[in-house]
Amino acid sequence: MSSATVTGVTLVALPLAFNAAFAALAAKFEYPDILRRPTREVLDRFRSGGSSLVLLWWAFAMTAVALAPLAVLLGRTLDGANDNLRSVGATIGVLAAVVQFLGLIRWPFLVPYLARVSAEPDADPARREAVDIVFQSFNRYLGVAVGEHLGYLLTGAWTVLVGVALTQSTVAPGWLGIPGIVIGVLLALCSLEFVGPFEQAGWKLAGTLTPIVYIAWSLWLIAAGIALLL
């Protein structure tokens, strides 16, 4: 099996897996809307989801990990593109995978513990308040800052670089790079949702754009994968 074939299959499989896991979390856990509710309600809902919800979060985190080998494969596959561009793109793609994984992995490992502690019969108000602070702190740090801000920013940068490489490469139609560049810029814009004056309530424009841009990003990856397979 050629490198282009493996890369094409991965380009199609990754967004399908990502969106399938996201849709399952939306159905089972009301994600991401559940995050706007009080901590105790979030943890009660998480605990009621049982081990299947924990495994679902683990699977979702693994889709972030899968971006790393995809970035490396694309860097090796896009013949004709500038070598430095492909190398930098692969590196940024791996970094994007790492920060998104770090943002998501708290759910199958840290959150189950917090959900158990908050439900202990002898947990006093001070203990529940400590759980609330820990949950919200990790949500802001790993979820918003690392997973979303750095994740969107680096994924956007990787997408722009891949888009530019596609316009130079001989293995796929060059026009496929144009929507990639546009989508990458929009992903980087979405990374500013909770930056500066928007830190507390969020930037509504970025919040509205994010799910739309990620759907477009998924469709673009699938289109690029199909182009490599043909």
Side-chain angles (χ1 to χ4, degrees):
M1 187 179 292
S2 69
S3 175
T5 300
V6 174
T7 306
V9 170
T10 308
L11 277 167
V12 173
L14 176 58
L16 291 177
F18 169 83
N19 283 285
F22 187 93
L25 284 171
K28 188 176 181 64
F29 191 52
E30 295 184 40
Y31 179 77
D33 294 340
I34 189 74
L35 299 181
R36 299 183 180 90
R37 299 178 189 173
T39 298
R40 187 163 186 178
E41 184 177 344
V42 177
L43 295 179
D44 287 346
R45 183 65 183 270
F46 185 91
R47 191 169 52 254
S48 68
S51 59
S52 62
L53 180 59
V54 175
L55 287 173
L56 184 54
W57 271 110
W58 178 84
F60 192 41
M62 291 303 105
T63 66
V65 173
L67 179 60
L70 173 59
V72 174
L73 283 169
L74 262 178
R76 297 177 60 182
T77 301
L78 297 179
D79 294 333
N82 180 273
D83 289 340
N84 291 331
L85 178 65
R86 292 195 288 170
S87 178
V88 172
T91 301
I92 291 180
V94 171
L95 289 174
V98 169
V99 296
Q100 291 202 42
F101 169 76
L102 291 175
L104 292 171
I105 202 61
R106 73 191 192 280
W107 286 99
F109 291 101
L110 172 65
V111 177
Y113 168 76
L114 295 176
R116 288 194 300 271
V117 169
S118 68
E120 289 176 349
D122 59 344
D124 56 23
R127 189 170 179 82
R128 291 197 174 98
E129 183 179 357
V131 167
D132 175 56
I133 292 172
V134 171
F135 177 82
Q136 292 298 336
S137 296
F138 272 89
N139 186 52
R140 282 281 172 173
Y141 177 59
L142 285 180
V144 176
V146 176
E148 293 181 11
H149 175 61
L150 285 180
Y152 296 172
L153 184 61
L154 290 171
T155 302
W158 173 74
T159 304
V160 169
L161 292 171
V162 171
V164 174
L166 278 169
T167 65
Q168 302 174 355
S169 179
T170 57
V171 300
W175 63 264
L176 266 175
I178 305 297
I181 294 170
V182 174
I183 291 168
V185 170
L186 291 175
L187 274 175
L189 180 68
C190 291
S191 75
L192 303 176
E193 183 177 359
F194 292 97
V195 172
F198 309 114
E199 179 273 327
Q200 184 173 358
W203 184 17
K204 290 184 179 179
L205 175 61
T208 302
L209 279 176
T210 297
I212 299 171
V213 174
Y214 258 102
I215 291 172
W217 182 73
S218 299
L219 293 174
W220 174 72
L221 289 180
I222 292 171
I226 292 172
L228 289 178
L229 292 172
L230 295 178

